[in-house]
């Protein structure tokens, strides 16, 4: 959901301002011959309170460099820039360039790279900035959310916090707790690196055009300590295999593992091999992986 259009005041020149409403913004987009692109998941947000809440709940300050993925028309970008030291945007849609340059003409702490974030060398781009804290903030279509978070992890981008607005169903999986229906291997994986929590729900009614689903804003705060596992490859394989058939128990999903070792750990927690993976906490998966050691 990369195109964010609230109604608030953007200052074009000192002592001058222009009020942006959805109608005026649509007129401006039409003047620039811009067409919404479904493939990029572009939707308008027409509620200023949502924008303000994202910024306020993110706790941005002048020591913060914000990476915004998909600035769209720049409405959230503008509000971020008022609070942050610097905003670095990645926008895949080059046809938004004229709109962004116009809407952000009075802001001098925003840089925009017109490139797919997934293909960008973000670590190289960050070398020109000085900052105390690095936050990633974005309104993301559901299909691109997980790849973006995985890139942040795999590329070792030194983020302190990620704040994303995503489809509610996706956000519910991210923040799921053991024992819930939304808890899965991705939940366990992300919890290795982040403390995950919901900041707020977002109704589909604040978007124009209105999508078919509600959204949720989820916060990922970087954990201070890395997970303590003897073999990370084994750990992640164990987690994936445990959930491979979610409705089956560990005895079935882990039949190629030394089950006596798995059961030894489970028994310490009053569980057995008939339990499903969704009942296991991150800490319990770590304990099982460390018990297994290297698989032969």
């Amino acid at each position: 959901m990369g195109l964010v259009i609230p109604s608030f005041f953007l200052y074009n020149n000192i002592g001058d301002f222009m009020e942006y409403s959805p109608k005026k913004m649509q007129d401006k987009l039409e003047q620039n011959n811009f067409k919404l692109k479904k493939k990029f998941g572009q939707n308008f947000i027409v509620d200023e309170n949502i924008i303000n809440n994202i910024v306020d709940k993110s706790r941005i300050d002048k020591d913060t460099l914000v990476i915004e993925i998909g600035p769209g028309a720049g409405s959230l970008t503008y509000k971020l820039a008022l609070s942050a030291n610097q905003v670095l945007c990645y926008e895949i849609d080059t046809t938004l360039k004229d709109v962004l340059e116009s809407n952000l003409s009075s802001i001098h702490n925003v840089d925009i790279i017109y490139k797919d974030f997934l293909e960008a060398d973000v670590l190289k781009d960050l070398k020109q900035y000085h900052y105390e804290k690095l936050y990633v903030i974005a309104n993301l279509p559901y299909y691109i959310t997980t790849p973006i978070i995985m890139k942040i992890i795999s590329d070792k981008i030194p983020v302190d916090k990620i704040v994303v607005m995503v489809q509610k169903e996706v956000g519910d999986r991210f923040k799921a707790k053991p024992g819930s229906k939304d808890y899965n291997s991705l939940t366990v994986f992300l919890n290795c690196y982040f403390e995950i929590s919901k900041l707020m729900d977002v109704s589909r009614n604040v978007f124009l055009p209105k999508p078919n689903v509600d959204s949720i804003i989820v916060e990922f705060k970087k954990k201070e300590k890395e997970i303590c596992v003897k073999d990370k490859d084994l750990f992640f394989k164990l987690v994936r295999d445990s959930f491979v058939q979610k409705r089956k128990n560990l005895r079935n999903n882990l039949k190629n593992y030394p089950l006596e070792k798995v059961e030894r750990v489970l028994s310490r927690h009053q569980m057995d091999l008939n339990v499903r993976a969704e009942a296991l906490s991150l800490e319990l998966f770590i304990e099982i992986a460390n018990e297994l050691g290297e698989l032969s």
Side-chain angles (χ1 to χ4, degrees):
M1 294 175 235
L3 191 56
V4 185
I5 317 294
S7 172
F8 64 88
F9 294 102
L10 292 182
Y11 291 82
N12 297 319
N13 297 293
I14 296 175
D16 186 26
F17 61 82
M18 179 177 180
E19 183 180 359
Y20 276 74
S21 66
K23 178 64 171 64
K24 290 179 180 177
M25 181 58 75
Q26 288 181 78
D27 290 343
K28 192 161 192 174
L29 292 172
E30 289 176 6
Q31 290 170 14
N32 286 277
N33 297 315
F34 177 77
K35 302 295 182 183
L36 287 167
K37 300 175 183 62
K38 188 175 182 180
K39 66 178 180 179
F40 293 145
Q42 292 171 332
N43 294 83
F44 298 87
I45 294 179
V46 295
D47 189 334
E48 180 182 353
N49 290 327
I50 299 298
I51 298 296
N52 290 333
N53 276 326
I54 293 173
V55 176
D56 292 344
K57 291 179 181 294
S58 298
R59 300 187 181 279
I60 300 162
D61 58 31
K62 292 302 181 182
D63 293 323
T64 308
L65 167 63
V66 175
I67 294 176
E68 185 188 6
I69 303 168
S75 299
L76 175 58
T77 313
Y78 184 90
K79 296 290 258 190
L80 292 171
L82 295 180
S83 298
N85 178 51
Q86 189 78 27
V87 181
L88 172 61
C89 300
Y90 290 88
E91 177 53 64
I92 193 173
D93 188 355
T94 57
T95 64
L96 278 165
K97 188 172 183 179
D98 290 341
V99 174
L100 281 166
E101 288 183 355
S102 174
N103 290 345
L104 301 175
S105 61
S106 65
I107 299 296
H108 305 292
N109 61 336
V110 175
D111 294 325
I112 303 174
I113 297 176
Y114 291 94
K115 189 171 188 177
D116 185 347
F117 178 82
L118 294 175
E119 297 179 1
D121 187 341
V122 180
L123 291 176
K124 181 180 178 182
D125 296 334
L126 288 173
K127 288 180 179 179
Q128 62 181 303
Y129 299 99
H130 298 282
Y131 52 90
E132 295 294 326
K133 293 174 286 187
L134 179 64
Y135 294 175
V136 171
I137 298 179
N139 302 313
L140 299 174
Y142 74 93
Y143 65 88
I144 205 70
T145 304
T146 299
I148 283 176
I149 295 173
M150 298 298 284
K151 175 183 173 66
I152 291 169
I153 294 172
S154 62
D155 288 4
K156 297 183 178 179
I157 300 171
V159 299
D160 297 286
K161 184 188 295 186
I162 303 170
V163 177
V164 290
M165 183 189 297
V166 296
Q167 179 180 333
K168 188 176 186 303
E169 180 182 341
V170 176
D172 285 343
R173 289 199 293 269
F174 289 158
K175 67 178 183 62
K177 302 298 181 185
S180 67
K181 64 180 179 63
D182 295 313
Y183 189 72
N184 61 14
S185 60
L186 177 61
T187 312
V188 178
F189 179 82
L190 293 175
N191 273 274
C192 293
Y193 300 93
F194 303 102
E195 299 284 352
I196 305 171
S197 60
K198 180 181 80 171
L199 293 184
M200 60 183 295
D201 292 311
V202 181
S203 168
R204 69 190 74 183
N205 295 319
V206 307
F207 292 95
L208 185 68
K210 182 170 73 173
N212 295 324
V213 295
D214 292 325
S215 296
I216 188 174
I217 299 176
V218 182
E219 177 184 77
F220 299 74
K221 291 181 69 173
K222 182 183 177 182
K223 287 188 171 179
E224 294 185 5
K225 294 182 180 179
E226 288 192 15
I227 59 171
C228 184
V229 292
K230 296 175 183 177
D231 185 332
K232 281 190 176 181
D233 290 338
L234 169 60
F235 169 75
F236 292 126
K237 183 177 188 303
L238 169 70
V239 173
R240 287 194 302 272
D241 291 344
S242 296
F243 284 94
V244 68
Q245 296 187 69
K246 196 174 179 184
R247 297 189 63 82
K248 291 195 173 184
N249 59 28
L250 292 183
R251 189 186 304 278
N252 286 292
N253 284 338
L254 300 181
K255 58 187 176 183
N256 294 323
Y257 288 70
L259 290 179
E260 69 279 2
K261 291 187 176 183
V262 178
E263 191 162 35
R264 186 183 307 153
V265 176
L266 291 172
S267 65
R268 297 176 199 151
H269 300 269
Q270 293 73 52
M271 295 181 182
D272 58 34
L273 292 169
N274 293 317
V275 73
R276 291 177 180 172
E278 64 192 42
L280 275 61
S281 66
L282 167 63
E283 292 74 20
L284 189 45
F285 275 114
I286 292 172
E287 191 176 339
I288 293 172
N290 287 341
E291 181 81 17
L292 289 172
E294 292 190 7
L295 289 174
S296 57

